[in-house]
Amino acid sequence: MTEHTPPRHAVVIASGGLDSTTVAYWLAGSGSRLTMLSFDYGQRHRKELDFAVLIADRLGARHEVVDLGGLGRLLSGSALTDSAVAVPDGHYTAESMRSTVVPNRNAIMLSVAVGVAVASGADAVAFGAHAGDHAVYPDCGSEFFDLFAEVARVGNEGFVAQGFQLLAPFIHQSKADIVRVGEQVGVPFAETWSCYRGGALHCGTCGTCTERIEAFELAGVDDPTEYAAASSGVAR
């Protein structure tokens, strides 16, 4: 993972998913105070936000949901914001996963998070991008991360807390690596949500479910998630 000095107070972009939850637990384990920031951006379902609330409660962290609901209508054409676009099944490397891109989403969320950090005196903003995201999501890569970190520093010069950091500790690591770290820091995996469909259970076949199943298998960690149907065709 990225070497860093543990921040005093970190604003964590918290989706309720496996990646951001592991970031939150990792920072909390380092002694950082957390503000967890979730976004209602007009996504297909809001079940993930319920899990973000649950995780914040577990960690005793302040949690805020930023209402950007109108964005869903403006950022149409993505399977995550537009009910007319079907959620694709299969692996993230498949061309069909391009339909899950929400234009400029991470830049929007990070901009808000940096603003919250400056206003509250927090000395870090953290998010859970990882190496497996790069093939599909251009705003999850290290080039984007490095440029945005510079924009955040320059755009808030004289106001940002001393030693301010933009943290993406898993940006060069795999989802399986995140599962291994999550096990080490005590992440309650069953209390995280990944599925794009937002049903009663994880569907087991969409891109993010497929990635989640694979990550636990590669990490050699027991997966407590209940799936309606795993990508292998075997329910879990």
Side-chain angles (χ1 to χ4, degrees):
M1 289 191 302
T2 304
E3 293 295 327
H4 79 296
T5 301
R8 171 183 47 81
H9 176 193
V11 176
V12 180
I13 296 177
S15 68
L18 179 58
D19 307 335
S20 63
T21 298
T22 301
V23 169
Y25 268 76
W26 176 64
L27 285 169
S30 298
S32 301
R33 178 163 65 93
L34 305 182
T35 293
M36 298 178 69
L37 207 63
S38 301
F39 291 83
D40 181 346
Y41 58 90
Q43 57 265 57
R44 194 181 196 99
H45 66 82
R46 289 158 182 77
K47 187 164 185 174
E48 62 189 37
L49 299 179
D50 295 333
F51 283 81
V53 170
L54 180 60
I55 292 300
D57 286 345
R58 290 283 190 200
L59 291 171
R62 174 189 173 194
H63 180 249
E64 299 285 347
V65 177
V66 180
D67 184 3
L68 299 176
L71 277 178
R73 176 176 53 81
L74 296 173
L75 303 180
S76 60
S78 169
L80 302 193
T81 58
D82 192 334
S83 61
V85 180
V87 174
D89 288 332
H91 200 275
Y92 262 134
T93 56
E95 181 69 18
S96 62
M97 290 302 135
R98 288 177 60 86
S99 68
T100 65
V101 172
V102 179
N104 212 38
R105 180 178 62 174
N106 278 351
I108 293 167
M109 292 181 179
L110 283 167
S111 291
V112 174
V114 169
V116 171
V118 172
S120 63
D123 55 339
V125 166
F127 74 124
H130 64 88
D133 289 333
H134 301 179
V136 179
Y137 306 116
D139 59 357
C140 288
S142 57
E143 182 179 10
F144 165 80
F145 171 78
D146 292 341
L147 289 170
F148 190 91
E150 183 64 15
V151 167
R153 285 189 289 268
V154 172
N156 295 281
E157 188 174 2
F159 296 92
V160 74
Q162 184 174 5
F164 178 82
Q165 304 173 80
L166 186 63
L167 299 173
F170 306 124
I171 202 164
H172 298 299
Q173 293 189 284
S174 70
K175 190 88 165 188
D177 293 328
I178 293 175
V179 170
R180 294 186 189 101
V181 173
E183 185 181 41
Q184 292 169 5
V185 298
V187 169
F189 294 123
E191 296 177 2
T192 63
W193 185 266
S194 298
C195 183
Y196 284 152
R197 292 195 165 95
L201 302 176
H202 282 74
C203 73
T205 59
C206 71
T208 190
C209 280
T210 299
E211 183 192 43
R212 183 180 175 112
I213 291 166
E214 180 182 70
F216 277 100
E217 290 177 347
L218 291 175
V221 174
D222 182 58
D223 184 359
T225 313
E226 289 187 73
Y227 299 98
S231 58
S232 63
V234 179
R236 300 184 177 209

